[in-house]
Amino acid sequence: MKLINLAIALTFITACYCQANPTGIAWPKAWNATITVTMGDVVIGAPATSYYDSTVSMQATFFTQCATAGGIVNLEPCVQVQSSVEGNFGIWTIQGDSCCVNFNNVGFLAPEWPTTMDFINYQDVFGQSAIHFSGGGDKHDYYVTNDEFQIPLFVGPEEWTWPSGWLVGEQPDVFSDLMPISACNSTCVAA
């Protein structure tokens, strides 16, 4: 009997220690989400709508209140564009009929981006169980729901928060009428 109990205990311990850490799963090809953002060059407390479409290698986030270059948040809307399209590569902010370049050496995040991250731990985020990953090429912290869907909750250092998940599927064409990066004649300067 003791031998059976020992075998059961060892099996349980082995099963607990041999479970693999979760791995990040790729983003869907297209989604949109209501997010809140606070970051160095765009400091926004108001909600924004972000559209992501890997078939056109772009993401555009429409802010209801904007602060470009780390400036004062104002009531004017703006759009932050992330693009990996050849000839239109970079991240830039459009406000009114002008724009400035945030980064000309970084484009949009490919859907596989979460799969490049390392598991850190499990923790509560916004009152729910989450998986914490870190990495992604240039050290990001990425928190997702602790389930098979891994819906984003938060990513830093940008401080993008998804308070209500995302809507996955074909997206409206919000990209073709956006001012291209070539129209920007200044660099957004963080304060």
Side-chain angles (χ1 to χ4, degrees), residues 30-106:
W31 53 265
N32 75 64
T34 299
I35 59 171
T36 56
V37 177
T38 56
M39 58 191 267
D41 55 349
V42 180
V43 182
I44 310 296
T49 303
S50 191
Y51 294 90
Y52 177 93
D53 192 337
S54 66
T55 65
V56 294
S57 299
M58 293 182 79
Q59 180 173 347
T61 304
F62 295 81
F63 295 101
T64 55
Q65 296 177 349
C66 189
T68 58
I72 298 169
V73 174
N74 59 51
L75 300 178
E76 299 298 318
C78 72
V79 180
Q80 185 193 61
V81 182
Q82 299 176 16
S83 173
S84 290
V85 175
E86 188 175 336
N88 200 30
F89 184 91
I91 298 176
W92 65 100
T93 300
I94 303 167
Q95 188 167 20
D97 59 1
S98 65
C99 63
C100 61
V101 176
N102 300 92
F103 302 97
N104 60 9
N105 61 344
V106 178

Side-chain angles (χ1 to χ4, degrees), residues 101-167:
V101 176
N102 300 92
F103 302 97
N104 60 9
N105 61 344
V106 178
F108 107 119
L109 295 171
E112 298 78 25
W113 178 71
T115 68
T116 67
M117 298 186 158
D118 297 320
F119 169 77
I120 301 300
N121 61 15
Y122 296 100
Q123 63 187 78
D124 284 343
V125 174
F126 306 122
Q128 59 186 312
S129 178
I131 305 169
H132 176 196
F133 295 103
S134 184
D138 54 347
K139 183 100 171 97
H140 281 77
D141 285 301
Y142 181 58
Y143 299 83
V144 296
T145 56
N146 184 11
D147 58 30
E148 69 272 19
F149 304 110
Q150 293 187 8
I151 297 170
L153 298 168
F154 179 85
V155 65
E158 295 85 356
E159 299 183 34
W160 286 47
T161 302
W162 282 262
S164 35
W166 53 14
L167 300 172

